[in-house]
Amino acid sequence: MTEVWVPVKGYEGLYEISDQGNVRSLDGTRWNGTVEHPFKGRQLTFQNKKDRYLCITLSKDSKQVKVRVHKLMAEHFLPEPPGPVGKGKGCYQVDHKNDDPHDNRACNLQWLI
């Protein structure tokens, strides 16, 4: 089966995410204050959060944002939930069907209240 890659929303041209739960940076250049240096894109390394979920750090315009991979996957590969997303009563959250918080494949994720 072929891994399907799509641009990360808000980070187009910088990062891509796949339906298998992988995230990669793309080839580009960085400005060091004097000259631009080319760099090779790579698959990002996941970080474990204290709550067991995998995170990655995305960087754009010298600003870094840490995001949970399963939430990023849901945003890109699941249909929009029929109601609000969040932690409050009646809000939808991303659920891992097999209860493995490290299995972030699109086929293993669903919206639940």
Side-chain angles (χ1 to χ4, degrees):
M1 189 165 82
T2 304
E3 195 166 8
V4 176
W5 292 90
V6 298
V8 174
K9 295 174 186 172
Y11 295 86
E12 294 84 354
L14 299 172
Y15 298 98
E16 290 181 335
I17 188 166
S18 84
D19 61 341
Q20 298 301 303
N22 297 310
V23 183
R24 66 185 178 192
S25 62
L26 302 176
D27 294 348
T29 58
R30 286 196 182 104
W31 177 256
N32 73 357
T34 308
V35 73
E36 282 193 349
H37 292 278
F39 65 89
K40 194 91 167 121
R42 63 177 177 83
Q43 183 138 338
L44 299 186
T45 304
F46 298 125
Q47 305 138 9
N48 270 320
K49 290 277 289 181
K50 290 180 182 174
D51 62 4
R52 304 178 341 176
Y53 294 105
L54 298 177
C55 292
I56 55 165
T57 301
L58 301 176
S59 180
K60 179 179 176 182
D61 299 329
S62 300
K63 294 179 184 172
Q64 293 184 340
V65 177
K66 189 177 269 193
V67 295
R68 290 189 171 110
V69 176
H70 67 287
K71 290 184 177 183
L72 197 60
M73 286 294 297
E75 181 183 334
H76 289 81
F77 293 102
L78 295 183
E80 197 159 318
V85 174
K87 291 189 177 197
K89 185 175 178 146
C91 290
Y92 284 82
Q93 293 184 343
V94 182
D95 175 64
H96 292 82
K97 295 176 185 177
N98 66 2
D99 295 323
D100 179 359
H102 291 185
D103 184 354
N104 290 308
R105 294 173 297 137
C107 65
N108 186 48
L109 301 177
Q110 64 183 349
W111 292 108
L112 286 183
I113 288 184

